[in-house]
Amino acid sequence: MTEPLQTSTQEPAPSRLPVFDENTCPEDMAKMMTNAQLASNFLKAISHEGRLMILCQLASGEKSVTELEDLLAARQAAVSQQLSRLRLEGLVKPRRDGKTIYYSLTDDRPRQIIEVVYDLFCKDD
């Protein structure tokens, strides 16, 4: 059983999020909707525990499919399926060396999210 998240009694930090109201121009709202869609797709891609575990492993550097299978104790078909979804979402990129395919993160976004998730759910108190 997992422990519930601890709530803080401190005042929350001021939000960095923009505030939209009736004076917000349509162009800003359209941009926000586009960004919300991109963020939603990103979050859906990492919301599966298998994909999240793959991203955790790749946060420390490039890994072959075989290495990922071993590290995650998962079947090749399952790892390949999740890597395919992560590729489709643009979160990982492959590199072929002979018969071996290596994967790495395409940019730093997944690593940043993994660090936040780690701090919230995995870090020892």
Side-chain angles (χ1 to χ4, degrees):
M1 174 157 300
T2 60
E3 294 292 319
L5 290 177
Q6 298 295 322
T7 57
S8 174
T9 57
Q10 297 176 350
E11 282 291 316
S15 177
R16 297 181 307 152
L17 302 175
V19 176
F20 291 95
D21 58 22
E22 65 275 356
N23 299 320
T24 303
C25 71
E27 293 82 17
D28 287 344
M29 285 301 288
K31 183 176 180 182
M32 186 177 183
M33 289 299 294
T34 298
N35 289 340
Q37 183 65 46
L38 292 171
S40 176
N41 290 342
F42 176 85
L43 292 170
K44 286 176 191 174
I46 69 169
S47 68
H48 183 277
E49 59 270 13
R51 292 190 292 271
L52 190 57
M53 290 296 294
I54 288 171
L55 292 172
C56 285
Q57 294 301 323
L58 295 179
S60 65
E62 182 181 73
K63 305 274 187 302
S64 71
V65 175
T66 303
E67 287 175 300
L68 290 170
E69 291 169 27
D70 293 342
L71 289 166
L72 302 173
R75 295 179 310 126
Q76 186 272 334
V79 171
S80 292
Q81 180 181 17
Q82 300 312 327
L83 284 167
S84 177
R85 172 69 189 273
L86 292 169
R87 269 181 80 177
L88 180 69
E89 296 297 333
L91 300 178
V92 300
K93 60 186 174 188
R95 178 182 68 84
R96 182 180 289 277
D97 184 15
K99 292 184 178 183
T100 305
I101 300 176
Y102 294 90
Y103 280 88
S104 62
L105 300 178
T106 55
D107 59 44
D108 209 40
R109 292 174 307 150
R111 184 182 344 277
Q112 292 172 347
I113 293 294
I114 295 298
E115 288 172 358
V116 170
V117 171
Y118 177 83
D119 286 345
L120 291 172
F121 296 98
C122 306
K123 192 174 184 179
D124 292 334
D125 293 323

